[in-house]
Amino acid sequence: MISLPNPKSKMTMNKEQLAQFKFNYCEKIIEDMDMDTLMTLAHDLLMDAYQSCSEQEIKDEILDLYDEEILEDLMEGINN
């Protein structure tokens, strides 16, 4: 009979094992989400990331990733 490790035991992982364990857990969470939940998570993470950015930092990033037209479209959206 094979003895499996007790998941409640105080197993000590090295850095690589812990990183893989965290990666596996994240994969499991993502696999269990539907598309709406994934989109909500992505939106919340992006909003948190941009919370401390200034107006100019956001504008610069939009120009780096997109173009002037997208920046103008997004700015028009705040006035409506």
Side-chain angles (χ1 to χ4, degrees):
M1 179 176 198
I2 298 174
S3 177
L4 297 175
N6 180 351
K8 293 182 182 178
S9 71
K10 297 197 177 206
M11 176 181 165
T12 302
M13 297 180 201
N14 63 36
K15 285 183 177 185
E16 293 79 21
Q17 290 170 322
L18 181 57
Q20 184 65 52
F21 184 62
K22 290 175 182 179
F23 180 86
N24 292 348
Y25 182 51
C26 291
E27 289 286 309
K28 174 64 177 152
I29 291 170
I30 292 167
E31 287 172 7
D32 290 347
M33 289 183 185
D34 61 20
M35 186 58 72
D36 288 338
T37 305
L38 278 168
M39 290 176 61
T40 299
L41 177 65
H43 183 271
D44 291 349
L45 290 171
L46 288 168
M47 286 297 292
D48 286 347
Y50 292 121
Q51 193 66 35
S52 63
C53 292
S54 69
E55 177 181 335
Q56 191 59 51
E57 289 171 327
I58 296 289
K59 287 178 179 178
D60 290 344
E61 182 166 323
I62 293 166
L63 291 173
D64 286 344
L65 296 175
Y66 299 99
D67 58 25
E68 186 79 30
E69 184 178 343
I70 296 295
L71 175 61
E72 289 172 8
D73 288 347
L74 291 170
M75 293 189 62
E76 283 178 16
I78 62 174
N79 295 326
N80 295 332

